[in-house]
Structures are given as structure tokens and as C-alpha cells.
């Protein structure tokens, strides 16, 4: 009987240091009878030697296209753009199920290669809750980036390149220093505050010293009346942490920003949800994803108005790559242990059915 196997591929997205499988969880899989192949990767936060020490088999960087077809490929972020067919089974965030830019082209690669996609974003337990998500660390890191951008704005500068932190304490210390020692006096509004992502943003704001009354925590009850919301214009930092599944009224628009004139307090918008190319994006004031090297983009406003910056980085948790990877991988582990029975385990059969549904939709438009 063949041993169940996973192949951990390298990540090709710039600055992406996280891993879907950590040495800790890899060892637990090996102890359970799995073979684990790990591509060498100098960019990853975990050293190759850490995987080797727990029994993983190291293989060359980006060699997964040559892996045996029956070996599942495990990764995090989307694959580089290509037209090559995909014959393997891939477990990753593909960002192609909500009509994002290029979604049908991505799925067509699986169709032509007869491969399968199990999208990590849509692995759900019986109650419909995601079994593993980076949400908390996305919100935490997004709030930190927003605070750093505010500090830069106050100095009359644009926020420079963001670099991953060794740990949470280092991040908090750096953010507090940038704000002059504390975030006291800063006012922030978090929409989606009751979810994983929103809780992370609120936690960061507390840890850098914001007063509790200066952290506005909004969720479905507060947004039920429908936007745009003038309250967003009266804080320093606005963090969007919602999970967008359908069209909703915009939270903020260029018109509402312009109407506020020079008295607007808002300086930084952090769109952690990052539905940049989604036609239902509730923050239609920007149109590009920002990056770690250029983390902000200016909103196009009349020159006589105060500047407004947007952060729309789609892999914010890599600012804390070790901690976020450990948490995510530990949450994913029980599902990975069940993967050999994917033809009967509900979580995996549901994910496959969703893939087949989306594949059919893609075929209709490609």
C-alpha cells in the first residue's frame, strides 16, 4: 500500500515567507504515516534544515511540475500566471472563485490538465466555518501597516517598504516607536470587528496603546443601514475586514471623501479583505493591489484636499510569517490527516464539488 504523500511547493509571490506546512505539522503528518516532500526555498521563514530535521525529503526549488501526477501539491498563494495545463491536485488559495481578474483563465488550466483544485479559502466545517484561515494575523498586520502609514503621513512622507518581523513583539515595538512611543490619540474604525480578521485588528490597536473608546468596532448591526458611512471620515485609520460574498452598498466613495472637504480626519484606509478586482468591492476608491515594496496608493482626489492613502496588500499575514504559519498549519492539520479519504470525507467532497461547479462556470466564458 502506497503511503499518503504531500509535496510542499515553494512560494513565488514576492516577499511571501509563510508556509502552508510548518516543520511542526510536517512531523505530525510523518508520524501519522505520510511522506512529505519539501522544496528548498530561501525565501520561506522556516529553514530547509528545520524540515529535514523532522524527516521531510528535500527536493529542488519549484520542481513540483515534475512531481508524480498522483502526489498532491500543497501551497499558499496563487501560482504565477501561465497557460500551462495543471494535471496535479493542488491545495492552495487560488483566488478565482469570486470572479476576480483572470479567474476563468486560472480554472481553464485545471480543465486542460485534468487536475483538481481544493481551494483553502473554501474548506469549511459542518457549520460553514473555515477550518483554517489567516484572518486574525491579516487583521493584526493590516492594523500595524495602517498605523505605520499614518505615522509616515504625519511626517509628510509615503510609507516605505514593509519587511516581515521576527515576531509580534518586534512588530508592536516598531509601530509604537513610529507613532512617538504610543498610539494614544489615534482613532480607528474596524468594520467586521467580530470576525477573526477584525479581532486581530482590534488586538493590534489595543497593544499599541489606542484608548478603547478610540477603537470603533463595527459589524453587521452597525452597517445594516447601508453605506456610504460618514463616520469613516472622522477617524484616522479605517480597516475593512469583512468577508464579501455579495453586492453591498459602498462603505466610502470618492464623492463622500470630496464632500468632507478639508475637515476630513481620515488619512489611511486598509482594505484587509482586498477585493480589489471584485465587481462588488465596497471600497471603490482604488483599483490596484499594493505590495510590500510599495505598500500604499494615493486616492485620486482634488489637489486642495488632504491626501488619503490605501493599503491593499493581499498577503498581509506574511508580516508575521512564523506565527501566522504555525497557527494556520495547526488548524489545517486535522483536515490534511483526512485527505487520503477525500472521496468520502464531507469537507473534501464539498470542496471538490465547488471546484467542479466553478470549473463549469469558467468553461462557459473562456
Amino acid at each position: 500500500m502506497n503511503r499518503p504523500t504531500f509535496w510542499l511547493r515553494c512560494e513565488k509571490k514576492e516577499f511571501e515567507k509563510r508556509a502552508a506546512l510548518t516543520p511542526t505539522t510536517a512531523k505530525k503528518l510523518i508520524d501519522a504515516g505520510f511522506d512529505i516532500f519539501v522544496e528548498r526555498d530561501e525565501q520561506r521563514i522556516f529553514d530547509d534544515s528545520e524540515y529535514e530535521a523532522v524527516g521531510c525529503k528535500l527536493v529542488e526549488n519549484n520542481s513540483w511540475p515534475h512531481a508524480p501526477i498522483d502526489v498532491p501539491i500543497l501551497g499558499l498563494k496563487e501560482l504565477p500566471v501561465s497557460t500551462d495545463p495543471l494535471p496535479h491536485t493542488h491545495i492552495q488559495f487560488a483566488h478565482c472563485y469570486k470572479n476576480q481578474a483572470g479567474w476563468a483563465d486560472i480554472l481553464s488550466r485545471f480543465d486542460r490538465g485534468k487536475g483538481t483544485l481544493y481551494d483553502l479559502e473554501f474548506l469549511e466545517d459542518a457549520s460553514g466555518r473555515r477550518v483554517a484561515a489567516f484572518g486574525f494575523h491579516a487583521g493584526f498586520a493590516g492594523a500595524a501597516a495602517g498605523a505605520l502609514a499614518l505615522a509616515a503621513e504625519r511626517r509628510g512622507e509615503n510609507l516605505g517598504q514593509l519587511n516581515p518581523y521576527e515576531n509580534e513583539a518586534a512588530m508592536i515595538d516598531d509601530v509604537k516607536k513610529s507613532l512617538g512611543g504610543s498610539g494614544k490619540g489615534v482613532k480607528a474604525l474596524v468594520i467586521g470587528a467580530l470576525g477573526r480578521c477584525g479581532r486581530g485588528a482590534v488586538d493590534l490597536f489595543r497593544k499599541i496603546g489606542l484608548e478603547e473608546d478610540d477603537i470603533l468596532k463595527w459589524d453587521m448591526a452597525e452597517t445594516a443601514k447601508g453605506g456610504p458611512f460618514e463616520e469613516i471620515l472622522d477617524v484616522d485609520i479605517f480597516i475593512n475586514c469583512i468577508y464579501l460574498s455579495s453586492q453591498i452598498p459602498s462603505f466610502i466613495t470618492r464623492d463622500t471623501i470630496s464632500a468632507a472637504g478639508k475637515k476630513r480626519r481620515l488619512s489611511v484606509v486598509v482594505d484587509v479583505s482586498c477585493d480589489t478586482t471584485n465587481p462588488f468591492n465596497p471600497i471603490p476608491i482604488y483599483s490596484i493591489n499594493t505590495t510590500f515594496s510599495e505598500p500604499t496608493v494615493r486616492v485620486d482626489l482634488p489637489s486642495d484636499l488632504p491626501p488619503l492613502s490605501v493599503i491593499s496588500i493581499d498577503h498581509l499575514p506574511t508580516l508575521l510569517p512564523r506565527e501566522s504559519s504555525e497557527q494556520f498549519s495547526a488548524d489545517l492539520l486535522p483536515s490534511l490527516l483526512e485527505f487520503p479519504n477525500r472521496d468520502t470525507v464531507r469537507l473534501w467532497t464539498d470542496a471538490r464539488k465547488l471546484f467542479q461547479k466553478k470549473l463549469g462556470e469558467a468553461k462557459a466564458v473562456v
Side-chain angles (χ1 to χ4, degrees):
M1 180 178 177
N2 291 334
R3 290 164 61 90
T5 304
F6 286 116
W7 183 294
L8 180 66
R9 64 171 171 83
C10 63
E11 298 292 331
K12 286 301 183 183
K13 192 178 187 74
E14 190 178 18
F15 293 100
E16 184 55 79
K17 298 176 74 67
R18 294 172 296 167
L21 200 62
T22 69
T24 303
T25 48
K27 184 180 187 305
K28 291 180 179 179
L29 285 167
I30 291 169
D31 290 345
F34 285 71
D35 283 334
I36 306 296
F37 292 88
V38 175
E39 292 185 356
R40 299 179 184 274
D41 189 0
E42 293 183 358
Q43 181 171 281
R44 189 187 293 129
I45 187 65
F46 304 98
D47 291 338
D48 295 340
S49 60
E50 295 181 66
Y51 289 98
E52 193 170 32
V54 299
C56 297
K57 302 171 183 178
L58 297 183
V59 292
E60 290 307 304
N61 184 278
N62 204 38
S63 57
W64 64 264
H66 307 294
I69 296 299
D70 61 348
V71 173
I73 310 301
L74 182 59
L76 276 183
K77 298 302 290 182
E78 65 274 13
L79 296 168
V81 175
S82 170
T83 58
D84 293 343
L86 294 172
H88 290 89
T89 292
H90 286 261
I91 306 170
Q92 65 178 63
F93 290 102
H95 304 297
C96 62
Y97 282 4
K98 295 190 288 186
N99 293 351
Q100 296 100 323
W103 69 277
D105 293 331
I106 295 169
L107 287 168
S108 72
R109 296 180 64 190
F110 286 95
D111 183 43
R112 287 181 285 108
K114 308 304 179 187
T116 302
L117 169 65
Y118 292 98
D119 197 305
L120 289 167
E121 184 177 349
F122 299 93
L123 296 183
E124 299 176 342
D125 63 19
S127 66
R129 182 176 175 82
R130 290 169 61 181
V131 296
F134 283 100
F136 182 88
H137 285 98
F140 196 93
L148 291 169
L150 176 66
E153 194 72 58
R154 288 175 170 177
R155 297 192 302 269
E157 303 171 358
N158 291 327
L159 178 61
Q161 178 173 304
L162 294 173
N163 294 299
Y165 292 90
E166 185 62 31
N167 52 49
E168 178 185 303
M171 171 185 278
I172 292 170
D173 184 59
D174 187 45
V175 174
K176 289 171 73 173
K177 284 181 178 177
S178 74
L179 291 168
S182 169
K184 187 175 182 179
V186 173
K187 191 170 184 179
L189 189 154
V190 179
I191 293 186
L194 298 182
R196 287 167 166 154
C197 180
R199 292 198 305 271
V202 170
D203 189 45
L204 181 284
F205 284 137
R206 286 173 175 154
K207 287 178 175 175
I208 64 170
L210 270 69
E211 301 280 2
E212 196 66 27
D213 289 345
D214 284 337
I215 309 173
L216 279 64
K217 310 169 195 71
W218 283 25
D219 212 88
M220 293 180 70
E222 291 79 8
T223 59
K225 63 183 179 181
F229 303 109
E230 292 187 5
E231 294 92 333
I232 292 174
L233 303 170
D234 296 327
V235 299
D236 298 295
I237 306 170
F238 163 47
I239 312 282
N240 176 40
C241 292
I242 71 162
Y243 183 80
L244 183 66
S245 58
S246 60
Q247 187 170 12
I248 58 175
S250 297
F251 293 156
I252 184 173
T253 67
R254 283 192 178 87
D255 288 342
T256 58
I257 296 168
S258 295
K262 296 181 180 180
K263 69 180 187 296
R264 166 176 49 87
R265 180 170 180 173
L266 182 68
S267 291
V268 179
V269 173
V270 184
D271 191 3
V272 180
S273 301
C274 220
D275 288 298
T276 311
T277 62
N278 190 311
F280 302 148
N281 182 10
I283 308 177
I285 60 174
Y286 73 102
S287 59
I288 63 168
N289 282 349
T290 60
T291 63
F292 276 62
S293 55
E294 296 184 43
T296 62
V297 61
R298 294 283 191 184
V299 179
D300 185 15
L301 297 171
S303 59
D304 62 330
L305 295 183
L308 176 60
S309 295
V310 175
I311 295 173
S312 56
I313 299 171
D314 66 3
H315 58 138
L316 280 164
T318 205
L319 273 179
L320 285 174
R322 185 172 288 270
E323 289 155 308
S324 63
S325 295
E326 291 286 13
Q327 171 261 309
F328 179 86
S329 191
D331 289 347
L332 184 61
L333 177 62
S335 301
L336 293 178
L337 287 167
E338 292 184 315
F339 191 75
N341 301 314
R342 58 190 174 278
D343 291 338
T344 57
V345 173
R346 183 209 52 79
L347 175 141
W348 292 108
T349 58
D350 283 358
R352 184 178 177 88
K353 288 175 185 175
L354 180 59
F355 164 68
Q356 291 169 334
K357 176 178 181 289
K358 295 298 180 180
L359 193 62
E361 293 174 4
K363 286 181 182 180
V365 299
V366 172

